[in-house]
PDB file of all heavy atoms in Angstrom:
ATOM      1  N   ALA R 137     -14.681 -49.222 109.038  1.00 96.00           N
ATOM      2  CA  ALA R 137     -15.549 -47.977 108.900  1.00 96.00           C
ATOM      3  C   ALA R 137     -16.412 -48.124 107.438  1.00 96.00           C
ATOM      4  O   ALA R 137     -15.786 -48.549 106.566  1.00 96.00           O
ATOM      5  CB  ALA R 137     -14.657 -46.693 108.738  1.00 96.00           C
ATOM      6  N   GLY R 138     -17.531 -47.918 107.403  1.00 96.00           N
ATOM      7  CA  GLY R 138     -18.396 -47.949 106.286  1.00 96.00           C
ATOM      8  C   GLY R 138     -18.476 -46.492 105.647  1.00 96.00           C
ATOM      9  O   GLY R 138     -18.692 -45.603 106.384  1.00 96.00           O
ATOM     10  N   VAL R 139     -18.456 -46.585 104.315  1.00 96.00           N
ATOM     11  CA  VAL R 139     -18.499 -45.309 103.597  1.00 96.00           C
ATOM     12  C   VAL R 139     -19.407 -45.445 102.427  1.00 96.00           C
ATOM     13  O   VAL R 139     -19.671 -46.663 101.776  1.00 96.00           O
ATOM     14  CB  VAL R 139     -17.198 -44.757 103.029  1.00 96.00           C
ATOM     15  CG1 VAL R 139     -16.326 -44.396 104.206  1.00 96.00           C
ATOM     16  CG2 VAL R 139     -16.560 -45.724 102.302  1.00 96.00           C
ATOM     17  N   VAL R 140     -20.170 -44.408 102.063  1.00 95.00           N
ATOM     18  CA  VAL R 140     -21.173 -44.482 100.836  1.00 95.00           C
ATOM     19  C   VAL R 140     -21.188 -43.075 100.152  1.00 95.00           C
ATOM     20  O   VAL R 140     -21.304 -42.176 100.896  1.00 95.00           O
ATOM     21  CB  VAL R 140     -22.404 -44.949 101.143  1.00 95.00           C
ATOM     22  CG1 VAL R 140     -23.228 -44.103 102.111  1.00 95.00           C
ATOM     23  CG2 VAL R 140     -23.270 -45.349  99.984  1.00 95.00           C
ATOM     24  N   SER R 141     -21.131 -43.133  98.930  1.00 91.00           N
ATOM     25  CA  SER R 141     -21.275 -41.805  98.165  1.00 91.00           C
ATOM     26  C   SER R 141     -22.789 -41.780  97.742  1.00 91.00           C
ATOM     27  O   SER R 141     -23.299 -42.676  97.348  1.00 91.00           O
ATOM     28  CB  SER R 141     -20.370 -41.745  97.021  1.00 91.00           C
ATOM     29  OG  SER R 141     -20.636 -42.663  96.031  1.00 91.00           O
ATOM     30  N   THR R 142     -23.299 -40.552  97.960  1.00 86.00           N
ATOM     31  CA  THR R 142     -24.769 -40.365  97.566  1.00 86.00           C
ATOM     32  C   THR R 142     -24.935 -40.064  96.141  1.00 86.00           C
ATOM     33  O   THR R 142     -23.885 -39.381  95.663  1.00 86.00           O
ATOM     34  CB  THR R 142     -25.326 -39.220  98.492  1.00 86.00           C
ATOM     35  OG1 THR R 142     -24.677 -38.100  98.199  1.00 86.00           O
ATOM     36  CG2 THR R 142     -25.163 -39.556  99.942  1.00 86.00           C
ATOM     37  N   PRO R 143     -25.976 -40.353  95.535  1.00 79.00           N
ATOM     38  CA  PRO R 143     -26.224 -40.067  94.106  1.00 79.00           C
ATOM     39  C   PRO R 143     -26.198 -38.577  93.971  1.00 79.00           C
ATOM     40  O   PRO R 143     -26.707 -37.767  94.846  1.00 79.00           O
ATOM     41  CB  PRO R 143     -27.484 -40.623  93.797  1.00 79.00           C
ATOM     42  CG  PRO R 143     -27.768 -41.743  94.796  1.00 79.00           C
ATOM     43  CD  PRO R 143     -27.090 -41.163  96.006  1.00 79.00           C
ATOM     44  N   SER R 144     -25.589 -38.010  92.883  1.00 69.00           N
ATOM     45  CA  SER R 144     -25.656 -36.794  92.574  1.00 69.00           C
ATOM     46  C   SER R 144     -27.085 -36.324  92.082  1.00 69.00           C
ATOM     47  O   SER R 144     -27.714 -37.099  91.250  1.00 69.00           O
ATOM     48  CB  SER R 144     -24.712 -36.350  91.372  1.00 69.00           C
ATOM     49  OG  SER R 144     -24.953 -35.038  90.854  1.00 69.00           O
ATOM     50  N   LYS R 145     -27.593 -35.325  92.654  1.00 65.00           N
ATOM     51  CA  LYS R 145     -29.059 -34.857  92.170  1.00 65.00           C
ATOM     52  C   LYS R 145     -29.026 -34.280  90.808  1.00 65.00           C
ATOM     53  O   LYS R 145     -30.110 -34.344  90.110  1.00 65.00           O
ATOM     54  CB  LYS R 145     -29.487 -33.816  93.263  1.00 65.00           C
ATOM     55  CG  LYS R 145     -29.772 -34.295  94.625  1.00 65.00           C
ATOM     56  CD  LYS R 145     -30.446 -33.245  95.468  1.00 65.00           C
ATOM     57  CE  LYS R 145     -30.766 -33.752  96.847  1.00 65.00           C
ATOM     58  NZ  LYS R 145     -29.500 -33.981  97.595  1.00 65.00           N
ATOM     59  N   SER R 146     -27.956 -33.844  90.410  1.00 60.00           N
ATOM     60  CA  SER R 146     -27.921 -33.200  88.987  1.00 60.00           C
ATOM     61  C   SER R 146     -28.409 -34.149  87.819  1.00 60.00           C
ATOM     62  O   SER R 146     -29.039 -33.708  86.835  1.00 60.00           O
ATOM     63  CB  SER R 146     -26.601 -32.597  88.665  1.00 60.00           C
ATOM     64  OG  SER R 146     -25.635 -33.640  88.595  1.00 60.00           O
ATOM     65  N   GLY R 147     -28.037 -35.399  87.897  1.00 64.00           N
ATOM     66  CA  GLY R 147     -28.392 -36.352  86.958  1.00 64.00           C
ATOM     67  C   GLY R 147     -29.771 -36.955  87.118  1.00 64.00           C
ATOM     68  O   GLY R 147     -30.175 -37.845  86.334  1.00 64.00           O
ATOM     69  N   SER R 148     -30.292 -36.737  88.340  1.00 75.00           N
ATOM     70  CA  SER R 148     -31.691 -37.333  88.676  1.00 75.00           C
ATOM     71  C   SER R 148     -32.817 -36.751  87.953  1.00 75.00           C
ATOM     72  O   SER R 148     -32.660 -35.595  87.408  1.00 75.00           O
ATOM     73  CB  SER R 148     -31.862 -37.175  90.151  1.00 75.00           C
ATOM     74  OG  SER R 148     -30.902 -37.928  90.866  1.00 75.00           O
ATOM     75  N   LYS R 149     -33.965 -37.309  87.841  1.00 82.00           N
ATOM     76  CA  LYS R 149     -35.132 -36.924  87.143  1.00 82.00           C
ATOM     77  C   LYS R 149     -35.976 -36.156  88.145  1.00 82.00           C
ATOM     78  O   LYS R 149     -36.163 -36.684  89.315  1.00 82.00           O
ATOM     79  CB  LYS R 149     -35.912 -37.962  86.425  1.00 82.00           C
ATOM     80  CG  LYS R 149     -35.217 -38.446  85.117  1.00 82.00           C
ATOM     81  CD  LYS R 149     -36.143 -39.351  84.409  1.00 82.00           C
ATOM     82  CE  LYS R 149     -35.446 -39.891  83.086  1.00 82.00           C
ATOM     83  NZ  LYS R 149     -36.210 -40.667  82.376  1.00 82.00           N
ATOM     84  N   PHE R 150     -36.563 -35.036  87.817  1.00 88.00           N
ATOM     85  CA  PHE R 150     -37.669 -34.286  88.566  1.00 88.00           C
ATOM     86  C   PHE R 150     -38.893 -35.112  88.704  1.00 88.00           C
ATOM     87  O   PHE R 150     -39.343 -35.632  87.711  1.00 88.00           O
ATOM     88  CB  PHE R 150     -37.906 -32.933  87.911  1.00 88.00           C
ATOM     89  CG  PHE R 150     -38.891 -32.198  88.724  1.00 88.00           C
ATOM     90  CD1 PHE R 150     -38.765 -31.562  89.842  1.00 88.00           C
ATOM     91  CD2 PHE R 150     -40.203 -32.076  88.118  1.00 88.00           C
ATOM     92  CE1 PHE R 150     -39.625 -30.825  90.461  1.00 88.00           C
ATOM     93  CE2 PHE R 150     -41.177 -31.439  88.711  1.00 88.00           C
ATOM     94  CZ  PHE R 150     -40.900 -30.863  89.978  1.00 88.00           C
TER      95      PHE R 150
END
Side-chain angles (χ1 to χ4, degrees):
V139 294
V140 65
S141 62
T142 64
S144 170
K145 290 187 179 67
S146 61
S148 299
K149 287 187 177 181
F150 172 80

